[in-house]
Amino acid sequence: MCGIVGYVGPREVLPLILQGLKTLEYRGYDSAGIVILGEDLSLFKRQGKINALEKDLQGLHLDGRTGIGHTRWATHGAPTELNAHPHLDCDGNLAVIHNGIIENYLQLKAELLRLGHHFRSETDTEVIPHLIEEQLKSQSSLLGATLAASAQMEGAFALAVVSKRFPNQIVAVRRESPLVLGVGKGENFLASDIPALLPYTRDILILNNNEAALIEESGIQLFTLEGKALQRQPLSIDWDAKMAERGGYEHYMLKEIHEQPQALRETMVGHIDWDHSLVLLPEFPDDLLTGARRLYISACGTAYHAGIAGKYLIESLAGLPVEVEIASEFRYRRTPFVEGSLGLVISQSGETMDTLAALKRFKEQGIPTLAITNVQGSSVCREADHIFYTKAGPEIAVASTKAYLTQVLSLILLAVKLSQLKGQPQPELVCELKRIPLLAERVLAELEKTVQEYANRMRFLDDYFILGRGLDFASALEGALKLKEISYVHCEAYAAGELKHGPLALVTQGKQVCILATQRNLFAKTLSNLKEVKARGAEVLALSFPDGNELEADEIWSLPPTLDPLGPLLSMIPLQLFAYYMAKEKGCDIDQPRNLAKSVTVE
Ligand code: F6R
């Protein structure tokens, strides 16, 4: 959470930093601030979103070749202007922006107060400029002072530091929270995430955990936190800047929903031998998969829902037992692992703190680790033994859409691969995968208007149920999460057969219920559940294939027929559109819903 951006070079710094912050705004958006370092250190801060700050700064041209900017997701201290970053030392000569939490800040602050330092905010971050100021009394370089101060700090942090005494330098430090560096010609960049750098360069140096960087116009030097120099070549990132733009859509979320057919296509490239109807998964070694006796999946939020779909798919197609657990729970449990365990984490960003902790827990137990992620060079990639990249491209909207669909697709590929290794290829399923991007396009073309009209009729909705069995239950969970986070409509997802064990008490006359019925083997059972809610006066929307017309629902959204294991790849699309259009009806901030941030790098 929180977005960091920095630049050293000849371009006009202020608009560049503002632009970078806008790209990173999905990481947090309760306040923002910028420091431009010229002859003076100019500081600008504002509560609220970046465009409020941008308005304040309109028409302002500042000399200076160095700048840092921050967009905040508050942890310590209310989202006020005073608590916005950058934070300064006592004299206002040195500025720091920070993503993460300094866990021992109270002790550090007490000591700094005793030494006579003055504090202006309620944040944990403010101890950092004062610690560096203290270190600069004995250290001759900004890098040395920042490293010495970092050694005093406990917790997770990504820092960018500038000082009037060291013009045209940014010192960056990373412990846990992400930072990437952009390599230019005669200019260099810093950001929390790759999309902010794409308009300028695709040569990216990932700052690893426990590393620091000295960023100057002439180059970037990397160091360990002990100050030992490191050498590393930049990665060439295959996303281009266009992919991170809105491209004519009103919101990123809508754009990303529409990008799903292409994201599905891209994720399959190189992973299917179409001539022989076989899945190829060179990322995950065959002997590892063959030797697996149990798969443990851990993830958060949407990625966790993909994990649930993965459990149903892998157990039914390949007969491998799968446990799925939310990473924030898993990391603190003492799971008794069986012999032959394999750990799999799923994360769009590859930076989610709890998911990383789950990954580390697997490793501590000596369990081989697999990861499904969307971001090259992310922390998950550095920690996991084997990585499969979803090819969703940059996902900017806070609500995950195309990343989810490509995660489910990746798990379908894994399930088929495991089945193949057991001597049970799935040619029919592999053949059908070829049609899936086209079918996803059909869903978008055929259902978007219907969904929009339904959302308009539902505009006063404040409580909703989504029900499903088997794979449809996983989709129900994800559909309900989308509705909650984007449109703020309370929504419960239930395994359809479980409703009568309690929540059916909530179903009364006029209650709106959605039933997913894409699993033919469970169709008759789902039909009974539909009847149960209808009998209590519910109004039912059903999502099914055309042969599901016998569902006596008030409204049916027909999906193009496909095989049951692939149903979630189609049924999720109208659910995402429903959340989107409901949010639009309610005038919500769709790409940046309240209280949330895209990348959750705190616990
Ligand atoms: C919801 C959403 C979140 C993320 C979760 C994990 O739309 O996006 O629930 O899925 O925060 O994020 P990643 O996948 O980056 O680990």
Side-chain angles (χ1 to χ4, degrees):
M1 352 269 290
C2 298
I4 286 179
V5 58
Y7 175 72
V8 190
R11 301 185 199 226
E12 192 179 351
V13 182
L14 185 59
L16 186 145
I17 299 286
L18 276 168
Q19 188 49 48
L21 288 180
K22 280 191 202 158
T23 315
L24 292 177
E25 197 169 29
Y26 63 86
R27 300 180 65 84
Y29 30 84
D30 57 45
S31 59
I34 292 178
V35 153
I36 306 291
L37 200 59
E39 281 195 4
D40 279 319
L41 186 152
S42 315
L43 170 69
F44 309 96
K45 293 187 190 195
R46 186 70 146 89
Q47 185 175 348
K49 294 197 168 191
I50 315 288
N51 42 22
L53 180 66
E54 190 177 30
K55 257 201 196 134
D56 288 353
L57 302 179
Q58 219 159 26
L60 191 67
H61 296 280
L62 289 171
D63 289 335
R65 297 171 83 91
T66 307
I68 54 174
H70 186 267
T71 177
R72 179 167 186 249
W73 186 83
T75 57
H76 291 58
T80 59
E81 187 167 319
L82 210 61
N83 290 332
H85 301 207
H87 290 286
L88 305 181
D89 64 352
C90 291
D91 301 332
N93 288 332
L94 182 136
V96 171
I97 53 179
H98 164 224
N99 173 20
I101 294 175
I102 308 299
E103 286 168 3
N104 59 339
Y105 84 103
L106 286 173
Q107 294 104 287
L108 295 170
K109 188 167 175 176
E111 177 59 13
L112 288 160
L113 284 168
R114 201 185 59 74
L115 292 169
H117 290 260
H118 304 295
F119 284 78
R120 303 170 182 96
S121 77
E122 306 157 316
T123 63
D124 54 336
T125 302
E126 202 183 354
V127 298
I128 307 170
H130 294 282
L131 284 175
I132 301 174
E133 181 182 20
E134 207 44 45
Q135 290 295 338
L136 278 171
K137 292 179 181 162
S138 53
Q139 301 265 355
S140 57
S141 73
L142 185 60
L143 177 74
T146 306
L147 290 181
S150 302
Q152 296 173 267
M153 293 164 6
E154 288 166 17
F157 47 86
L159 308 179
V161 185
V162 293
S163 162
K164 257 168 80 175
R165 261 180 70 188
F166 304 92
N168 305 336
Q169 283 193 353
I170 302 175
V171 171
V173 180
R174 171 181 185 174
R175 192 192 290 162
E176 303 294 346
S177 307
L179 269 185
V180 293
L181 310 165
V183 183
K185 288 194 175 64
E187 57 178 357
N188 288 298
F189 307 81
L190 164 75
S192 298
D193 203 355
I194 295 168
L197 304 180
L198 291 175
Y200 314 105
T201 178
R202 280 197 253 161
D203 292 334
I204 307 292
L205 268 171
I206 309 286
L207 198 61
N208 288 338
N209 223 355
N210 297 319
E211 289 183 357
L214 176 62
I215 305 154
E216 296 173 295
E217 283 186 11
S218 53
I220 298 177
Q221 298 173 64
L222 300 181
F223 301 90
T224 65
L225 292 191
E226 291 71 42
K228 193 168 146 275
L230 297 167
Q231 297 295 335
R232 193 158 53 243
Q233 288 307 310
L235 287 175
S236 178
I237 296 295
D238 60 9
W239 295 348
D240 69 32
K242 276 252 162 314
M243 293 167 97
E245 286 168 11
R246 240 187 310 141
Y249 285 92
E250 195 176 343
H251 297 97
Y252 279 111
M253 184 179 176
L254 191 59
K255 172 181 178 249
E256 289 162 7
I257 290 172
H258 278 266
E259 284 172 345
Q260 293 185 112
Q262 189 55 18
L264 293 171
R265 261 184 213 108
E266 303 264 344
T267 301
M268 281 191 270
V269 168
H271 292 107
I272 299 186
D273 171 352
W274 296 112
D275 292 338
H276 301 94
S277 299
L278 289 172
V279 165
L280 312 170
L281 217 55
E283 293 85 348
F284 297 161
D286 285 3
D287 54 343
L288 206 62
L289 298 182
T290 314
R293 293 291 158 268
R294 188 175 293 257
L295 178 68
Y296 291 86
I297 302 180
S298 197
C300 301
T302 287
Y304 165 70
H305 297 153
I308 296 180
K311 175 181 167 72
Y312 282 105
L313 287 159
I314 293 168
E315 289 187 342
S316 67
L317 289 171
L320 176 68
V322 180
E323 307 284 337
V324 197
E325 196 166 6
I326 294 167
S328 56
E329 288 297 311
F330 175 79
R331 65 181 291 187
Y332 293 116
R333 276 192 338 109
R334 302 273 73 88
T335 307
F337 294 106
V338 298
E339 186 81 15
S341 292
L342 207 54
L344 168 65
V345 294
I346 308 170
S347 174
Q348 186 284 128
S349 62
E351 299 294 350
T352 302
M353 180 73 89
D354 285 320
T355 307
L356 277 164
L359 182 54
K360 285 180 187 150
R361 173 126 178 77
F362 287 133
K363 293 182 82 175
E364 280 158 20
Q365 298 296 312
I367 293 172
T369 51
L370 314 177
I372 294 175
T373 184
N374 193 41
V375 181
Q376 279 174 274
S378 60
S379 302
V380 156
C381 305
R382 283 192 302 281
E383 296 279 340
D385 301 325
H386 305 283
I387 300 136
F388 180 94
Y389 288 106
T390 50
K391 292 285 181 180
E395 194 179 61
I396 309 288
V398 164
S400 188
T401 52
K402 57 179 181 168
Y404 175 76
L405 233 56
T406 55
Q407 286 162 355
V408 174
L409 172 63
S410 313
L411 290 156
I412 292 171
L413 296 177
L414 176 59
V416 174
K417 176 75 194 190
L418 284 161
S419 176
Q420 281 170 199
L421 289 170
K422 287 196 158 175
Q424 294 155 358
Q426 306 279 344
E428 204 194 347
L429 197 54
V430 175
C431 262
E432 181 67 3
L433 274 173
K434 197 170 203 165
R435 288 190 338 125
I436 278 291
L438 269 175
L439 298 186
E441 273 161 12
R442 260 182 64 190
V443 173
L444 283 164
E446 290 171 10
L447 284 180
E448 184 161 6
K449 199 158 181 303
T450 311
V451 175
Q452 194 172 358
E453 284 163 6
Y454 179 76
N456 176 264
R457 275 183 280 126
M458 293 293 135
R459 62 189 176 280
F460 301 115
L461 184 73
D462 56 9
D463 199 30
Y464 200 61
F465 267 116
I466 307 183
L467 311 178
R469 286 174 175 262
L471 277 172
D472 284 334
F473 173 47
S475 307
L477 287 166
E478 176 55 11
L481 175 61
K482 290 287 90 85
L483 202 62
K484 281 183 274 209
E485 67 179 327
I486 302 304
S487 67
Y488 315 147
V489 172
H490 175 245
C491 182
E492 292 242 18
Y494 250 89
E498 184 66 11
L499 206 67
K500 56 181 132 352
H501 299 290
L504 195 56
L506 293 172
V507 178
T508 51
Q509 194 65 35
K511 180 91 185 171
Q512 298 296 334
V513 175
C514 168
I515 291 199
L516 308 180
T518 73
Q519 302 299 295
R520 290 178 181 81
N521 60 333
L522 296 166
F523 193 77
K525 305 286 170 198
T526 309
L527 190 60
S528 317
N529 299 133
L530 191 153
K531 289 195 165 142
E532 281 160 16
V533 292
K534 284 289 299 169
R536 271 89 191 165
E539 278 181 32
V540 179
L541 161 71
L543 267 74
S544 191
F545 302 122
D547 50 3
N549 278 338
E550 66 203 76
L551 290 165
E552 288 155 31
D554 299 278
E555 172 149 354
I556 296 183
W557 294 350
S558 272
L559 302 164
T562 188
L563 299 175
D564 287 12
L566 309 186
L569 297 175
L570 303 183
S571 61
M572 186 46 55
I573 299 172
L575 293 178
Q576 295 164 340
L577 286 169
F578 178 44
Y580 174 82
Y581 282 110
M582 273 305 286
K584 219 173 150 199
E585 288 289 340
K586 289 180 172 267
C588 302
D589 191 342
I590 294 181
D591 284 335
Q592 293 168 352
R594 69 183 175 213
N595 305 340
L596 301 181
K598 181 74 179 162
S599 180
V600 185
T601 52
V602 294
E603 265 197 80

